[in-house]
Short mmCIF file of all heavy atoms in Angstrom, two decimals:
data_model
loop_
_atom_site.label_atom_id
_atom_site.label_comp_id
_atom_site.label_asym_id
_atom_site.label_seq_id
_atom_site.Cartn_x
_atom_site.Cartn_y
_atom_site.Cartn_z
N THR A 306 234.39 18.59 147.16
CA THR A 306 234.52 18.82 145.64
C THR A 306 234.01 17.62 144.89
O THR A 306 233.92 17.61 143.74
CB THR A 306 235.97 19.15 145.20
OG1 THR A 306 236.80 17.97 145.51
CG2 THR A 306 236.49 20.36 145.88
N ARG A 307 233.66 16.52 145.65
CA ARG A 307 233.05 15.32 144.92
C ARG A 307 231.64 15.65 144.43
O ARG A 307 231.20 14.94 143.65
CB ARG A 307 233.01 14.13 145.88
CG ARG A 307 234.29 13.51 146.25
CD ARG A 307 234.05 12.00 146.45
NE ARG A 307 235.30 11.34 146.70
CZ ARG A 307 235.90 11.24 147.89
NH1 ARG A 307 235.28 11.75 148.93
NH2 ARG A 307 237.04 10.61 147.98
N MET A 308 231.02 16.62 145.10
CA MET A 308 229.65 16.91 144.78
C MET A 308 229.53 17.33 143.35
O MET A 308 230.14 18.35 142.89
CB MET A 308 229.08 18.01 145.75
CG MET A 308 228.78 17.57 147.09
SD MET A 308 228.08 18.82 148.02
CE MET A 308 229.38 20.00 148.07
N PRO A 309 228.62 16.66 142.55
CA PRO A 309 228.36 17.09 141.22
C PRO A 309 227.97 18.49 141.07
O PRO A 309 228.38 19.22 140.10
CB PRO A 309 227.29 16.16 140.70
CG PRO A 309 227.43 14.92 141.61
CD PRO A 309 227.88 15.47 142.92
N VAL A 310 227.18 19.07 141.98
CA VAL A 310 226.72 20.47 141.97
C VAL A 310 227.98 21.38 141.88
O VAL A 310 227.94 22.34 141.14
CB VAL A 310 225.78 20.93 143.01
CG1 VAL A 310 224.38 20.57 142.73
CG2 VAL A 310 226.26 20.57 144.38
N PHE A 311 228.89 21.08 142.74
CA PHE A 311 230.14 21.92 142.78
C PHE A 311 230.94 21.74 141.49
O PHE A 311 231.35 22.77 140.90
CB PHE A 311 230.97 21.50 144.04
CG PHE A 311 232.21 22.38 144.12
CD1 PHE A 311 232.19 23.59 144.66
CD2 PHE A 311 233.46 21.88 143.71
CE1 PHE A 311 233.26 24.44 144.82
CE2 PHE A 311 234.64 22.64 143.83
CZ PHE A 311 234.50 23.90 144.34
N ARG A 312 231.14 20.55 141.04
CA ARG A 312 231.88 20.32 139.83
C ARG A 312 231.23 21.01 138.63
O ARG A 312 231.94 21.62 137.84
CB ARG A 312 232.01 18.87 139.54
CG ARG A 312 232.89 18.20 140.59
CD ARG A 312 233.44 16.89 140.24
NE ARG A 312 234.34 16.50 141.29
CZ ARG A 312 235.03 15.41 141.33
NH1 ARG A 312 234.89 14.50 140.46
NH2 ARG A 312 235.90 15.18 142.40
N GLN A 313 229.91 20.95 138.55
CA GLN A 313 229.21 21.52 137.38
C GLN A 313 229.37 23.08 137.48
O GLN A 313 229.68 23.70 136.38
CB GLN A 313 227.73 21.21 137.49
CG GLN A 313 227.41 19.85 136.79
CD GLN A 313 226.21 19.27 137.41
OE1 GLN A 313 225.31 19.91 137.96
NE2 GLN A 313 226.05 17.95 137.24
N LEU A 314 229.26 23.61 138.69
CA LEU A 314 229.42 25.09 138.85
C LEU A 314 230.83 25.49 138.32
O LEU A 314 230.93 26.46 137.64
CB LEU A 314 229.15 25.48 140.25
CG LEU A 314 229.38 26.98 140.53
CD1 LEU A 314 228.28 27.86 139.81
CD2 LEU A 314 229.32 27.32 142.02
N MET A 315 231.83 24.78 138.82
CA MET A 315 233.18 25.13 138.49
C MET A 315 233.45 24.93 136.95
O MET A 315 234.12 25.80 136.35
CB MET A 315 234.18 24.28 139.24
CG MET A 315 234.18 24.60 140.70
SD MET A 315 234.47 26.34 141.02
CE MET A 315 233.11 26.69 142.09
N THR A 316 232.87 23.91 136.39
CA THR A 316 233.04 23.67 134.97
C THR A 316 232.44 24.83 134.18
O THR A 316 233.01 25.38 133.22
CB THR A 316 232.41 22.36 134.52
OG1 THR A 316 232.94 21.32 135.40
CG2 THR A 316 232.66 22.00 133.08
N ARG A 317 231.26 25.33 134.60
CA ARG A 317 230.54 26.42 133.94
C ARG A 317 231.34 27.72 134.13
O ARG A 317 231.62 28.42 133.21
CB ARG A 317 229.14 26.57 134.51
CG ARG A 317 228.09 26.28 133.51
CD ARG A 317 226.72 26.68 133.98
NE ARG A 317 226.81 26.73 135.45
CZ ARG A 317 225.78 26.41 136.22
NH1 ARG A 317 224.72 25.98 135.86
NH2 ARG A 317 225.94 26.48 137.57
N LEU A 318 231.79 27.91 135.39
CA LEU A 318 232.38 29.12 135.68
C LEU A 318 233.79 29.27 134.96
O LEU A 318 234.19 30.39 134.54
CB LEU A 318 232.65 29.20 137.20
CG LEU A 318 232.98 30.48 137.88
CD1 LEU A 318 231.80 31.43 137.66
CD2 LEU A 318 233.22 30.27 139.34
N LEU A 319 234.53 28.14 134.89
CA LEU A 319 235.89 28.18 134.36
C LEU A 319 235.98 27.69 132.97
O LEU A 319 237.10 27.74 132.37
CB LEU A 319 236.80 27.39 135.33
CG LEU A 319 236.80 27.90 136.74
CD1 LEU A 319 237.39 26.87 137.70
CD2 LEU A 319 237.61 29.19 136.90
N GLY A 320 234.90 27.24 132.41
CA GLY A 320 234.93 26.81 131.01
C GLY A 320 235.76 25.61 130.70
O GLY A 320 236.30 25.50 129.64
N ARG A 321 235.89 24.73 131.69
CA ARG A 321 236.72 23.51 131.42
C ARG A 321 236.42 22.48 132.53
O ARG A 321 235.82 22.83 133.61
CB ARG A 321 238.23 23.82 131.52
CG ARG A 321 238.70 24.04 132.96
CD ARG A 321 240.02 24.56 132.99
NE ARG A 321 240.04 25.92 132.46
CZ ARG A 321 241.10 26.35 131.60
NH1 ARG A 321 242.12 25.58 131.33
NH2 ARG A 321 241.00 27.52 131.15
N PHE A 322 236.76 21.29 132.26
CA PHE A 322 236.57 20.17 133.26
C PHE A 322 237.77 20.16 134.23
O PHE A 322 238.90 20.18 133.73
CB PHE A 322 236.34 18.85 132.61
CG PHE A 322 235.07 18.72 131.87
CD1 PHE A 322 234.93 18.90 130.51
CD2 PHE A 322 233.88 18.51 132.65
CE1 PHE A 322 233.73 18.81 129.87
CE2 PHE A 322 232.66 18.45 132.00
CZ PHE A 322 232.59 18.57 130.67
N PRO A 323 237.56 20.10 135.53
CA PRO A 323 238.62 20.09 136.47
C PRO A 323 239.36 18.68 136.45
O PRO A 323 238.80 17.75 136.07
CB PRO A 323 237.99 20.30 137.85
CG PRO A 323 236.53 20.63 137.56
CD PRO A 323 236.21 20.14 136.15
#
Side-chain angles (χ1 to χ4, degrees):
T306 61
R307 286 211 176 89
M308 284 184 295
V310 278
F311 181 79
R312 292 196 173 178
Q313 276 152 20
L314 177 69
M315 291 307 127
T316 307
R317 245 190 339 214
L318 197 62
L319 302 164
R321 75 192 62 222
F322 289 102

